């Protein structure tokens, strides 16, 4: 119940509106404006800058302080002490698993890593040079055609099984997208490997040759998945919730999240970072690109810098930078020309007044792009990796919504078009 109230007075309307104000456990208070539509008023908030679209218990972000908590646990502690699958469990169930629960969860995920053989035929319908995110939208959406038992979204057990299937199959599909693009046979998952090792195995091994997976690279991969696991009500998660609010199948909802993630202002940024570094091409061009980024007449922005919520630093970027250093050292790539450009950009942008004043710091995608490039993952696949990591977050939010007293998401508008007019006689 609300202890506080806000009063709204609108010019031209005599009645004053008393609106309940709710307090979260932490974070800003929230004014409940739901009663306004009945009074002929809407609130206006394009970009949802001030709108809490839902109540949630999963993830908390304090952008000014650079805080990211999953179920209360700081992301830095999870990155250091936990691993991706344990974090998935935490997001889905609300608590860290016991040792036994963790073992059961890991084994359950392993039981679902293969995809139906029929699904592999889907790939032939795509051009070999199709963008991996386009294929992911298609094949993840297509999963809904394979699991009829997942169709009763009001059955809790069905929801749990769908969650396991999605978390387990995303790396398999991501690796299949890559293998298809280079014309190599799909690799079956290996359930004796960890989640991250198995992904690298399906990506880089072939039926002719199985290379040993580097523990440093497997740890980096696990960390990339973990650091992307959830991020509150971001654009793709809100898309999943909105699609889910209609009662749509969870696989279709996650496909809609993948589509929303694709854009360069969201998950597509890690790919855009590498494209930008290649476009800069040489350290001598950096100043020119910095000037372009500052020029208001020029649409160019420094990719991998800035964040809608984090205006001081991105806590995920701090951990990612450390992993980035480890990976580059493991691969002996400290002198790679593109990475040198990246490091110089990072230095300039963190010192330049334009960027500092606007709180534009390197975000998680700046470093994840560099790590993925170093591991040998092609640039077009970067956002697919993000989507794989973000899957537990999307499902946790979808599940939270379906388990609650929810209504279909249906925003309203400020209409500025023609009023009614007659069709010409
Ligand atoms: N390069 C140059 N200027 C920038 C940049 C940038 N990357 N980002 C923001 N600005 C400027 C912008 O021009 C504006 O300046 P002014 O106040 O003079 O008009 C000011 O900073 C505020 O920008 P905004 O567009 O109002 O900020 P926003 O919160 O709406 O946008 C953002 C956030 C992430 C979309 C934006 O910073 C951006 O486009 N960054 C590059 C893309 C990127 O790296 N995205 C990944 C985000 S992290 C992954 C994820 O969580 O999805």
């Amino acid at each position: 119940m609300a202890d506080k109230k806000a009063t709204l007075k609108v010019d031209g309307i005599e009645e004053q509106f008393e609106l309940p104000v709710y307090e979260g456990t932490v974070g800003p208070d929230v004014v409940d404006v739901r009663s306004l539509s009945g009074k002929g008023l809407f609130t206006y908030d394009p970009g949802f800058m001030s709108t809490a679209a839902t109540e949630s218990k999963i993830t908390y972000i304090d952008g000014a302080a650079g805080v990211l908590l999953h179920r209360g646990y700081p992301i830095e502690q999870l990155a250091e002490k936990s691993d991706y699958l344990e974090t998935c469990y935490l997001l889905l169930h609300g608590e860290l698993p016991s040792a036994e629960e963790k073992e059961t969860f890991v084994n359950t995920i392993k039981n679902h890593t293969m995809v139906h053989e029929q699904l592999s035929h889907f790939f032939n319908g795509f051009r070999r040079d199709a963008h991996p995110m386009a294929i992911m939208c298609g094949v993840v959406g297509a999963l809904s055609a394979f699991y009829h038992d997942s169709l009763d979204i009001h059955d809790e057990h069905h929801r749990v099984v769908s969650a396991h299937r999605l978390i387990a199959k995303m790396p398999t599909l991501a690796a299949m997208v890559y293998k298809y693009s280079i014309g190599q046979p799909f690799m079956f998952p290996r359930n004796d490997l960890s989640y991250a090792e198995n992904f690298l195995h399906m990506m880089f091994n072939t039926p002719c040759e199985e290379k040993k997976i580097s523990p440093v690279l497997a740890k980096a991969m696990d960390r990339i998945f973990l650091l992307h696991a959830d991020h509150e009500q971001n654009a793709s998660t809100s898309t999943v919730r909105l699609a889910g609010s209609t009662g749509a199948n969870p696989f279709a909802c996650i496909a809609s999240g993948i589509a929303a993630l694709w854009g360069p202002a969201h998950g597509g940024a890690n790919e855009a970072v590498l494209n930008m570094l290649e476009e800069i091409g040489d350290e001598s061009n950096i100043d020119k690109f910095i000037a372009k980024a500052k020029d208001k007449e020029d649409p160019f922005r420094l990719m991998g810098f800035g964040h809608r919520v984090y205006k001081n630093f991105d806590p995920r970027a701090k951990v990612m930078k450390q992993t980035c250093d480890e990976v580059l050292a493991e691969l002996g790539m400290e002198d790679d020309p593109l990475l040198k450009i990246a490091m110089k950009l990072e230095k300039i942008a963190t010192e330049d007044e334009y960027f500092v004043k606007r709180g534009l710091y390197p975000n998680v995608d700046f470093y994840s792009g560099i790590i993925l490039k170093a591991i040998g993952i092609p640039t077009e696949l970067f956002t697919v990796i993000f989507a794989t990591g973000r899957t537990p977050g999307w499902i946790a939010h979808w599940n939270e919504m379906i388990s609650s007293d929810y209504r279909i998401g249906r925003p309203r508008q400020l209409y500025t078009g023609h009023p009614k007019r007659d069709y010409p006689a």
Side-chain angles (χ1 to χ4, degrees), residues 127-152:
R127 287 167 51 136
R128 296 259 174 199
D129 63 354
H131 194 284
M133 284 296 275
I135 304 182
M136 283 304 274
C137 289
V139 292
V140 174
L143 287 175
S144 54
F146 286 81
Y147 302 108
H148 301 297
D149 58 346
S150 65
L151 287 177
D152 183 2

Side-chain angles (χ1 to χ4, degrees), residues 266 269 296 301-302 304-305 307-308 311 354 358 363 365:
H266 192 9
K296 293 290 155 214
R301 286 185 165 199
L302 270 198
F305 288 81
H307 198 275
R308 166 57 65 83
K311 298 299 180 192
Y354 172 93
R358 289 169 178 76
N363 57 48
D365 287 328

Side-chain angles (χ1 to χ4, degrees), residues 36-49:
L36 291 181
S37 70
K39 313 277 184 191
L41 278 174
F42 295 149
T43 54
Y44 183 59
D45 186 20
F48 305 111
M49 301 288 287

Side-chain angles (χ1 to χ4, degrees), residues 181-256:
S181 73
I182 57 170
Q184 286 187 0
F186 299 138
M187 292 296 288
F188 284 121
R190 263 186 47 192
N191 290 350
D192 58 321
L193 300 175
S194 74
Y195 191 87
E197 283 170 339
N198 178 47
F199 174 64
L200 293 173
H201 153 74
M202 291 187 291
M203 284 287 294
F204 298 119
N205 282 337
T206 68
C208 316
E209 192 181 0
E210 291 230 351
K211 290 182 224 129
K212 199 176 158 344
I213 312 290
S214 148
V216 175
L217 301 192
K219 185 178 152 212
M221 206 60 240
D222 192 82
R223 205 166 246 195
I224 288 179
F225 289 141
L226 186 152
L227 291 176
H228 284 97
D230 190 39
H231 213 225
E232 203 225 55
Q233 311 302 329
N234 57 83
S236 57
T237 302
S238 298
T239 303
V240 170
R241 277 191 181 257
L242 196 55
S245 77
T246 69
N249 180 287
F251 298 99
C253 296
I254 301 302
S256 74

